[in-house]
Amino acid sequence: MRLSNRTSALYAPALCLMLLLTLPAQAQETAVPTPAPAAPAAAPAAVPAAIAPTETTTQTTTEATTETTTEVTTETAAPETTAPTTAASETEAPDNAPAPANARPASRMLRLNQLALPTDLPVGTTRHDISSSGEIRSFLVHVPKAVAARRMPLVFSFHPAGLTAADQELLSGFSDLANEKGFIVVYPEGRGENPNWAWRPGVAGDQDIQFVADMISYVAKMHHLSARHLFATGMGSGAQMAARLGCILPKTFAAVGLVAGNYPQWDDCVPRPYSAIVFHGTKDHLMPYSGRVLLRGGQGYAERMARFNSCATGPSEVMSNGDTKAIGWSSCLVGTEVLFFAFEGKGHGWPGSKITPTEDTSQTINASVAMWEFFSTHPQQRYIIPKPPR
């Protein structure tokens, strides 16, 4: 592991965490610089104070069993890229090929070492159905074994296209971490036979954002939530959905954690800073590291977030260890920070997971652990959106 002299001073707390095989937490908060004038943006979708979901059911299930799948990904390879670079380019990649007729929907895009079965919910995880935008939507909630007598953080974890909420719980390992650290996890379920997310602007996108607002209201009725500690994570299209929530609901979500996604430059983001921790493999064939036409790869997204947050410092090297390199930006508005992790030679995998393909998945760090260490030091801060100049 190698840290630059310049960075070690900025990221002193991070060094301790890296030595514990997590990853850098974050540097100290800094004074708030005067924000640059922000472009006019659409009003944020408000999270209702109290939404009464209907037709709710709860089901507790037993120990998990798993099955093996041998489906392979069908997208063509993206250009190889060395990580991290000084600038991320955008290149075009083909759309996903259709699934084989006999393929299980959950293996359409991503081959997993194991798939969760419909009844594979661990102790502490329950399935819930609510009415949202006129349809019944499903999600899983994991509550830690020991519920603290305090307001609890809430982490959303969105599955990749074609997988399920139960698959996401299995591949991310967030529930085990929640038991250890004391936070609640929500695993939403996308729409369709091959569940997916509507992360683009439009009616379907607005309905998915409303679904998130409805889930927050539903969980808040059962548990005391900390309004300053709501976070969104995801992989693939789930990462795109989490990024969309940061864009539209930055007053709700203090930070996002994104794995293996490609991201547009939305023009309707609320001009409010939020922190981001981003992960991407340089040989990702489903979500290319260098991006695709009109979509940025992980590094390009991180660079844009550094500009969005008006970060005064960075990019600075934070970590170099085996296949993993990380750069960071600090001294951003209201103590926000941006971290980007690149995995040389790795593909469409969740770092540290035993479920995503071995050849695609770095084991140098654990993305879930890294996200939580990052989130726990970056709660929501008070911020007044500046008025545009006359």
Side-chain angles (χ1 to χ4, degrees):
M1 185 181 302
R2 175 170 56 85
L3 294 175
S4 66
N5 292 335
R6 178 188 177 194
T7 305
S8 60
L10 291 169
Y11 294 91
L15 177 58
C16 297
L17 289 171
M18 286 188 289
L19 293 176
L20 292 174
L21 197 58
T22 59
L23 22 161
Q26 297 306 308
Q28 69 281 3
E29 293 188 0
T30 56
V32 179
T34 302
V47 177
I51 297 179
T54 60
E55 300 184 37
T56 61
T57 59
T58 304
Q59 178 183 0
T60 304
T61 59
T62 56
E63 291 186 358
T65 57
T66 56
E67 66 179 10
T68 302
T69 178
T70 57
E71 293 298 324
V72 296
T73 54
T74 55
E75 254 188 54
T76 56
E80 294 185 6
T81 312
T82 302
T85 58
T86 54
S89 60
E90 294 181 353
T91 59
E92 184 174 3
D95 293 334
N96 299 320
N102 60 349
R104 176 185 168 183
S107 61
R108 180 176 66 92
M109 284 183 61
L110 178 62
R111 174 173 58 85
L112 299 181
N113 295 332
Q114 295 175 329
L115 286 173
L117 298 174
T119 57
D120 282 353
L121 299 185
V123 174
T125 299
T126 51
R127 186 178 299 276
H128 303 262
D129 298 321
I130 63 173
S131 177
S132 180
S133 299
E135 62 181 303
I136 300 300
R137 301 293 299 268
S138 300
F139 58 100
L140 304 180
V141 178
H142 182 85
V143 179
K145 297 176 182 178
V147 179
R150 57 175 171 79
R151 294 191 177 275
M152 300 185 68
L154 177 62
V155 174
F156 278 82
S157 191
F158 293 87
H159 62 73
L163 298 187
T164 65
D167 291 327
Q168 180 64 17
E169 181 178 31
L170 185 65
L171 75 86
S172 69
F174 261 127
S175 293
D176 289 338
L177 187 62
N179 290 337
E180 178 185 347
K181 301 296 184 179
F183 59 92
I184 296 172
V185 193
V186 170
Y187 303 95
E189 184 92 13
R191 287 164 156 163
E193 181 181 359
N194 292 298
N196 206 350
W197 302 105
W199 46 267
R200 303 178 190 275
V203 174
D206 292 343
Q207 290 174 346
D208 271 357
I209 291 174
Q210 183 61 45
F211 177 40
V212 172
D214 292 346
M215 287 185 285
I216 294 173
S217 295
Y218 181 89
V219 176
K221 291 178 180 179
M222 298 186 294
H223 305 283
H224 294 292
L225 301 181
S226 170
R228 297 183 62 209
H229 296 85
L230 271 64
F231 309 100
T233 74
M235 178 179 176
S237 68
Q240 293 168 316
M241 184 64 196
R244 180 65 177 162
L245 291 173
C247 162
I248 296 298
L249 298 176
K251 189 175 181 179
T252 300
F253 292 96
V256 297
L258 313 177
V259 178
N262 286 165
Y263 313 96
Q265 184 168 329
W266 293 293
D267 59 6
D268 58 347
C269 293
V270 176
R272 179 189 177 93
Y274 57 98
S275 295
I277 179 169
V278 188
F279 308 83
H280 213 161
T282 64
K283 291 187 176 180
D284 191 330
H285 301 299
L286 289 176
M287 295 281 181
Y289 179 87
S290 56
R292 59 182 82 191
V293 66
L294 300 181
L295 297 175
R296 299 170 183 265
Q299 184 177 345
Y301 173 86
E303 290 168 347
R304 181 174 181 271
M305 282 302 303
R307 294 191 295 271
F308 184 81
N309 290 344
S310 299
C311 298
T313 303
S316 303
E317 185 178 277
V318 176
M319 177 184 182
S320 181
N321 185 11
D323 60 18
T324 304
K325 293 183 179 179
I327 53 177
W329 293 261
S330 59
S331 301
C332 314
L333 291 175
V334 291
T336 57
E337 289 186 312
V338 179
L339 281 178
F340 172 65
F341 289 80
F343 304 96
E344 184 65 43
K346 298 302 181 181
H348 201 66
W350 185 283
S353 176
K354 304 299 183 184
I355 306 303
T356 51
T358 303
E359 65 274 17
D360 291 334
T361 307
S362 172
Q363 296 297 331
T364 305
I365 64 170
N366 184 299
S368 300
V369 173
M371 288 180 194
W372 177 248
E373 295 294 347
F374 185 82
F375 292 161
S376 64
T377 57
H378 291 84
Q380 188 70 265
Q381 301 291 341
R382 186 172 183 271
Y383 178 76
I384 299 175
I385 298 176
K387 296 181 179 179
R390 295 184 178 181

